Amino acid sequence: MKLFPNTCEFVESYYLESVVVLAAAVILLLAAVTSPLEWLPWQALVILLFAIATELTPTPLLHGGTTVTVGMPVVFSVMVLYGTLPAVLVDTVPTLLAGILLRRERPLLHRVRWALFNASQSALVAAAAGATYHLLHAGTPYVFSAKALFALGVAAIVYLALNALLVSVASTLYDRRESWLVLWRHFLGILLPTYVVMVPLSIVVISLLQAYQLAGFLLLAMPFLAARECLRQRLQQIRIYRETIRTLSVLVQYAHPHTSGHLHRASQMAVKLAIRLGVPARHLELLPEAAILHDLGKIGIDDAVLNKISPLTEEEWNMIRLHPLKGAEIVSGIRHLAPVALWIALHHERPDGKGYPFGLRLGEIPIESHIIAVVDAFDAMVGGDEKARPYRKPKTVPEAVAELQRCAESQFHPAVVGAFVEALAAKEFDELDETAPTRTTSVRRAVA
Amino acid sequence: MSIDWILSFALLGIVALVSVYALIYLPVQTHRDFRRMLSAFARTVEIREVHTSGSAHLRAYYAVKIAQRLRLPPSTIRDIEAAALLMEIGKVGIPYAILNKQAALTVEEAEVLKLHTMIGQRILEQVEWTRRLAPFIRHHHENWDGSGYPDGLQGEEIPLASRILHVVDDFVVTMRGKPLDNVALRWQAVQQMEHHVGRKYDPRVFEAFRPIVRKEVFDRINHCHLSDA
């Protein structure tokens, strides 16, 4: 795994870029004055081509722009078996090519600068690690010994620390918000856990290469590629799923003018209640979605009826009573949301059987529907969605709790109301986040 | 057989299984997830606007056919298909009474209805993957001669996808409430639309659209003829 800064704009601050590029140029020049056949055995060349191929078919992970590349184990095995310069090439050339050839939507100049910087920092990092390894383990070929492993470990630490250092200094020069030391520690924290896996993996690759030459490498490359493809597809599915939820939650705002604060508060309260009530974990992660989307069906209801202040006629009530089913109908086709459709369909059912659409009784309604009913009612009563009910004065929290307790057994599930009161007493609802969770990553991470 | 051989075969089998899973099963599943997501959004609008069930898929079907006849690249065709499924999404922001009014709309109501292009654009701009479709949705009621809304764009200024969506949308609206398998009505709809070529529709797009319906009509007549014999 290897860090790359995620913007190409930061190289506007030319300073560090020029230093890094110059240093890398010197290293490559030294390589060029000697004959290539001396320092680049054909096995390393094949590995280099493999690295280029994988790097040019990157695996975008979610929105952060993280990619999966061959990365450290390959670089390290080349470094140990064939020397530092081939390792520098294996680390540099794919990065350079991928940086320039991929992400065509960006201007060419930016891509070239960005790729140049990343390739140069790769060269520096690989060269430093290689120098460290061959200094500590001079001259002798690799054998599985304590001395070799020690050299390998130190080289890995150098690789990790220098990579994080260069990227953090570059990021600091770019936006000057945080000191490079803070960023460096942050990056080290991200990278360190993956190195625990990467170093043993490097040892395996080295042993395979030594025992079976390239056949051993291919033996490992095949499962690696397949696993990478699995990962890519899975992440793609997660992305589609997240975006579905995002879009639907945008649509909910049109269905019913909840403030988005109301929906996010309701979903967080729902999760806290569910934890208290011992809802199974796989339902727990769907509950926020259900809480946000529970009124989606109101899209299919006449807004004149929804916003009517005077009493509704029987016909209008019948129309409103359809909204849970309409919401479930929209959600039902989405594979991950199958249980959510049921909870949405039943979120207006009541323990006493007077709810709608079916008039189910206490034991027949899923607990998740009860939870949604309680948090929605509570937040509406204390004025969480003041935009939706402008004609009603918000209640205070004790008044709302008293109302919930009065309606326990008839309108709400008593156990859920009980858990709600306990959670309120334990001050669990005090620090709710009103805004949607946003993930900002300041680095582009490359997972090996 | 030695243990080495058995191990090698086992390893090879595992690799083969994982490859099939990664290269065949998962992509199919991903594609299906994506289609289901688009369908969910299409259903959202169909739930609000009564008697439009299935019209989004009809739009997508014709939009893809036109795009294929125009020999557009596959990625563009996929975008156009998604845009066809999402094009009416702005109607969630239009009052229910106007959307489902049986009688003719008043001038003010018609103006409100026109807002659905802009609302749709705004919704799609809020989500990353649909952002590039937003202009297609905004301009899908622009006319070729510049008399459309919301911006009164003219000719090639209108994105090609929007010009395709415009033809497809009008066809689906004309066919609304009529039995879709009635070939005479389908051809009648095309003939009605033909009056507006060059005024409302891009002639090139309509030239691609006409043969599609004509072929469907012919196929159906042929098929009936054969099965009767």
Side-chain angles (χ1 to χ4, degrees), chain A residues 244 246 299 303 330 333 335, chain B residues 33 37 43 48 96 126:
Chain A
T244 313
R246 274 273 300 134
I299 283 181
D303 347 81
I330 296 171
R335 191 158 51 95
Chain B
D33 277 3
M37 169 175 82
R43 259 201 316 276
R48 186 168 180 81
Y96 190 85
Q126 289 182 45

Side-chain angles (χ1 to χ4, degrees), chain A residues 31-201:
Chain A
V33 291
T34 54
S35 156
L37 283 176
E38 276 173 36
W39 51 265
L40 190 69
W42 64 274
Q43 290 99 330
L45 195 67
V46 172
I47 294 176
L48 174 64
L49 291 178
F50 174 81
I52 291 174
T54 48
E55 191 87 30
L56 286 182
T57 51
T59 317
L61 309 185
L62 304 178
H63 301 311
T66 317
T67 53
V68 177
T69 59
V70 271
M72 188 197 144
V74 171
V75 173
F76 265 56
S77 49
V78 171
M79 176 183 92
V80 168
L81 294 176
Y82 309 116
T84 307
L85 279 175
V88 169
L89 277 192
V90 168
D91 210 2
T92 307
V93 176
T95 315
L96 188 67
L97 287 178
I100 295 176
L101 295 179
L102 299 177
R103 291 173 172 257
R104 290 287 175 85
E105 70 277 6
R106 298 195 174 164
L108 179 70
L109 192 65
H110 278 197
R111 275 184 286 149
V112 170
R113 279 181 182 173
W114 191 75
L116 262 182
F117 176 81
N118 274 330
S120 311
Q121 67 120 334
S122 299
L124 277 183
V125 170
T132 313
Y133 174 79
H134 289 287
L135 200 72
L136 289 173
H137 195 254
T140 45
Y142 175 85
V143 278
F144 194 76
S145 65
K147 196 186 166 205
L149 290 185
F150 172 73
L152 202 64
V154 175
I157 290 170
V158 168
Y159 190 85
L160 162 80
L162 193 60
N163 175 222
L165 183 72
L166 284 175
V167 174
S168 60
V169 170
S171 301
T172 319
L173 283 179
Y174 174 51
D175 63 5
R176 292 171 198 284
R177 261 187 314 202
E178 283 172 284
S179 89
W180 64 272
L181 205 63
V182 175
L183 275 178
W184 190 46
R185 283 208 201 109
H186 170 69
F187 292 154
L188 284 182
I190 296 175
L191 289 177
L192 212 51
T194 62
Y195 273 63
V196 175
V197 182
M198 289 306 149
V199 173
L201 198 61

